[in-house]
């Protein structure tokens, strides 16, 4: 009668031991071990306190090891000869980990004796680290800012580092205002030139496609905070240097490909029907029962059209090609119909397919393709520059 109760008690004891943080401690994961041990100590000890006793031991040892580990990292990062970029950000993270480690230990009432020899708060040290991290970012921004007029990427670095300095210490040395001064020089300005001449479509259709592409580009937000796409106008660039030009040309147009195919198959009825009689002797006549058949022919008419456009970007300073790619759009329409010859009973009550009443015209296919292609180009350019 007591066996199920004993099994449950044993399972609870093993569960408590597994959640005490011992495994994490053995793997050298001292912060995790302290976290698990603290969580175990906040649980009901149950019938046996073995899990709690193990958790107390793990918490103390994990805290001491973790504390030493974080302090050693801080000493290494703060050493005078250390040149690790933005090292104070890592120092701040280490103090944050120390605070979490300490908070886990503070949740244990039985740990107050040994814990009293360690700090309980790292707020002041984190504040100091934030100031030094902001100073590092500010210095990097100032150095990059001096090259803003001749190096767009330096201007971008200046903008980002000013912003990060402000993240560490809000209002730090007017970094937000300085970041706005750097931003105009950090922007990659790209002008989308008129479509190049082509023999594939008429000049009027070419101009209409160009207008739709520029319209769709204008409707979209900029690809990123550091990229602007401009139409080919006198005000392109807002008074700043244009860095790149996008050149486009329609390279292929398949106006109306009409193709009809057919296939035939023999179909049979699901049941047998009387198709005649035969005598099996002089006095007996029996029905001849067979499945009836016929020929079902299926016709398929397919109409397709395609429109392709090539894009490339050139550096406006030296004419060098930076990249090239293609965008294409297609339209496909199909309909099927059937004819039948033979015994209608072989259709088993099924109806024959009939062809669609409406057949798209060449111009309706082109209009749809043109509109879709304009949207495709706008989306392509947005994806292309969203990481700049």
């Amino acid at each position: 009668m007591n066996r199920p109760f004993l099994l449950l008690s044993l399972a609870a004891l093993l569960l408590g031991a597994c959640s005490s943080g011992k495994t994490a401690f053995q793997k050298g994961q001292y912060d995790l071990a302290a976290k698990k041990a603290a969580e175990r100590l906040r649980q009901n000890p149950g019938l046996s306190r073995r899990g709690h006793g193990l958790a107390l031991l793990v918490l103390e040892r994990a805290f001491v090891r973790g504390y030493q580990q974080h302090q050693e990292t801080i000493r290494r990062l703060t050493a005078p000869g250390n040149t690790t970029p933005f090292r104070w950000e890592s120092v701040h993270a280490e103090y944050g980990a120390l605070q979490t480690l300490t908070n886990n230990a503070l949740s244990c009432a039985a740990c107050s004796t040994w814990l009293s020899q360690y700090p309980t708060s790292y707020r002041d040290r984190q504040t100091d680290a934030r100031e030094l991290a902001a100073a590092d970012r500010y210095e990097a921004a100032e150095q990059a800012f001096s090259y803003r007029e001749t190096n767009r990427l330096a201007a971008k670095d200046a903008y980002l580092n000013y912003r990060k300095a402000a993240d560490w210490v809000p209002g730090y040395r007017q970094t937000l205002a300085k970041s706005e001064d750097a931003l105009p020089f950090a922007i990659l300005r790209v002008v989308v030139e008129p479509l190049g001449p082509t023999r594939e479509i008429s000049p009027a259709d070419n101009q209409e496609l160009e207008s739709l592409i520029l319209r769709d580009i204008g409707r979209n937000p900029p690809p990123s905070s550091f990229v602007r796409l401009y139409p080919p106008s006198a005000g392109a660039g807002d008074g700043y240097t244009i860095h790149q030009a996008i050149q486009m040309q329609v390279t292929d147009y398949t106006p109306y490909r009409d193709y009809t195919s057919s296939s035939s198959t023999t179909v049979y009825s699901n049941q047998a029907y009387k198709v005649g009689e035969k005598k099996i002797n002089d006095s007996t006549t029996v029905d001849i029962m067979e499945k009836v058949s016929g020929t079902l022919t299926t016709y398929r008419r397919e109409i397709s059209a395609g429109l392709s456009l090539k894009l490339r970007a050139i550096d406006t300073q030296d004419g060098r090609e930076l990249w090239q790619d293609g965008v294409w759009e297609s339209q496909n329409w199909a309909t099927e119909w059937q004819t039948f010859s033979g015994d209608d009973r072989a259709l088993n009550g099924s109806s024959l397919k009939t062809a669609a009443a409406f057949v798209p015209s060449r111009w309706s296919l082109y209009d749809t393709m043109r509109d879709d292609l304009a949207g495709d180009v706008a989306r392509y350019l947005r994806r292309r520059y969203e990481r700049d």
Side-chain angles (χ1 to χ4, degrees), residues 193-374:
E193 294 187 349
L195 284 180
T198 180
R199 295 181 180 180
E200 302 296 329
I201 57 178
S202 70
D205 289 336
N206 204 39
Q207 186 172 4
E208 188 171 15
L209 176 59
E210 173 192 313
S211 298
L212 291 172
I213 291 173
L214 294 176
R215 181 201 67 182
D216 288 353
I217 291 174
R219 286 178 174 178
N220 289 336
S224 82
S225 302
F226 301 103
V227 178
R228 299 290 183 272
L229 300 178
Y230 295 93
S233 62
D238 302 320
Y240 292 89
T241 300
I242 294 292
H243 302 97
Q244 295 181 19
I246 304 296
Q247 298 176 342
M248 301 178 292
Q249 184 182 41
V250 174
T251 55
D252 185 61
Y253 173 41
T254 304
Y256 201 82
R257 182 176 295 162
D258 194 339
Y259 175 72
T260 301
S261 61
S262 64
S263 61
S264 297
T265 184
T266 302
V267 294
Y268 297 89
S269 60
N270 293 332
Q271 64 184 73
Y273 294 95
K274 179 180 178 180
V275 296
E277 296 178 342
K278 68 178 180 178
K279 288 184 177 182
I280 58 175
N281 53 44
D282 292 340
S283 60
T284 304
T285 301
V286 297
D287 295 336
I288 300 174
M289 304 296 289
E290 293 180 357
K291 291 185 177 182
V292 297
S293 64
T295 300
L296 180 67
T297 302
T298 301
Y299 297 88
R300 180 176 177 83
R301 183 182 181 187
E302 298 179 67
I303 297 175
S304 61
L307 186 62
S308 300
L309 182 142
K310 183 179 76 173
L311 303 94
R312 72 170 191 155
I314 62 169
D315 189 309
T316 58
Q317 306 305 308
D318 56 19
R320 177 170 47 93
E321 183 177 275
L322 301 173
W323 57 263
Q324 67 168 297
D325 208 340
V327 177
W328 59 92
E329 190 63 51
S330 62
Q331 286 292 310
N332 299 281
W333 176 90
T335 185
E336 289 185 347
W337 68 94
Q338 295 173 321
T339 61
F340 179 80
S341 62
D343 193 317
D344 289 344
R345 291 175 295 181
L347 292 173
N348 299 307
S350 300
S351 300
L352 298 177
K353 292 181 179 180
T354 57
F358 170 76
V359 179
S361 68
R362 167 178 175 171
W363 300 114
S364 65
L365 288 177
Y366 173 78
D367 288 347
T368 303
M369 279 193 309
R370 176 203 60 202
D371 295 348
D372 290 347
L373 184 66

Side-chain angles (χ1 to χ4, degrees), residues 128-250:
D128 292 342
R130 295 184 74 90
E131 288 283 343
L132 291 167
D136 273 358
R137 290 289 179 176
Y138 181 83
E139 182 181 355
E142 288 283 277
Q143 292 176 1
F145 187 76
S146 62
Y147 298 97
R148 66 192 182 282
E149 295 188 11
T150 57
N151 189 322
R152 185 186 70 84
L153 295 180
K156 183 178 178 180
D157 284 343
Y159 175 87
L160 293 174
N161 282 312
Y162 279 136
R163 288 279 173 167
K164 288 177 181 177
D167 289 340
W168 283 111
V169 179
Y172 186 84
R173 302 184 69 173
Q174 299 181 329
T175 46
L176 289 181
K178 291 188 174 184
S179 70
E180 292 304 313
D181 291 339
L183 181 58
F185 301 97
I187 292 174
L188 175 67
R189 292 176 173 82
V190 183
V191 66
V192 182
E193 294 187 349
L195 284 180
T198 180
R199 295 181 180 180
E200 302 296 329
I201 57 178
S202 70
D205 289 336
N206 204 39
Q207 186 172 4
E208 188 171 15
L209 176 59
E210 173 192 313
S211 298
L212 291 172
I213 291 173
L214 294 176
R215 181 201 67 182
D216 288 353
I217 291 174
R219 286 178 174 178
N220 289 336
S224 82
S225 302
F226 301 103
V227 178
R228 299 290 183 272
L229 300 178
Y230 295 93
S233 62
D238 302 320
Y240 292 89
T241 300
I242 294 292
H243 302 97
Q244 295 181 19
I246 304 296
Q247 298 176 342
M248 301 178 292
Q249 184 182 41
V250 174

Side-chain angles (χ1 to χ4, degrees), residues 41-62:
L41 291 171
R42 288 194 291 270
Q43 296 172 358
N44 191 315
L47 296 177
S48 171
R49 299 189 59 85
R50 181 179 175 185
H52 265 222
L54 180 59
L56 278 170
L57 181 62
V58 169
L59 179 56
E60 180 178 359
R61 291 185 176 179

